[in-house]
Amino acid sequence: MILHYFKLPKYDWEVYAYYGVTPAYKDVIIEQLESMGCKEELIQESLEIIGKKRPNTGFTYSSYFRKESVIVISDCSSSEDFMNTLVHEARHLQ
């Protein structure tokens, strides 16, 4: 798994992007979501996505109160699929 942290200074926003996520890293992701105040039902949905081991999937969660977002992208089957998933999730961030 790769963690890419970056800031969007124009919006005073922080982003944590996790790439290559497998079920082995679920605790790290869940801890991040909990620290952002994510509701339990959304955490459970996130666990389902992470736990299915399906390639080329992801999700984005944003906390407007904390001005933070988490982007999670599972293992991808090709660089093209990674880019498609990343762009899709980046649109949610947008």
Side-chain angles (χ1 to χ4, degrees):
M1 178 183 74
I2 297 170
L3 169 60
H4 179 201
Y5 168 80
F6 57 96
K7 291 185 177 187
L8 303 172
K10 180 178 179 181
Y11 303 101
D12 189 30
W13 205 271
E14 297 180 353
V15 180
Y16 299 84
Y18 296 88
Y19 310 123
V21 173
T22 63
Y25 299 106
K26 70 177 190 264
D27 293 339
V28 173
I29 307 295
I30 298 309
E31 186 176 311
Q32 179 77 41
L33 293 171
E34 288 174 341
S35 75
M36 294 172 65
C38 184
K39 294 180 181 180
E40 185 61 32
E41 62 203 39
L42 295 176
I43 289 175
Q44 292 305 315
E45 287 178 30
S46 302
L47 276 170
E48 285 182 32
I49 292 169
I50 295 169
K52 288 184 179 177
K53 295 184 185 181
R54 287 190 355 222
N56 314 318
T57 59
F59 64 88
T60 300
Y61 173 77
S62 295
S63 169
Y64 297 99
F65 177 74
R66 291 185 49 154
K67 296 185 174 187
E68 291 180 347
S69 294
V70 169
I71 297 173
V72 174
I73 298 175
S74 69
D75 277 336
C76 292
S77 50
S78 68
S79 57
E80 292 85 1
D81 288 329
F82 172 78
M83 285 307 299
N84 285 337
T85 306
L86 179 61
V87 168
H88 176 89
E89 295 307 324
R91 287 184 183 138
H92 290 298
L93 176 64
Q94 192 179 27

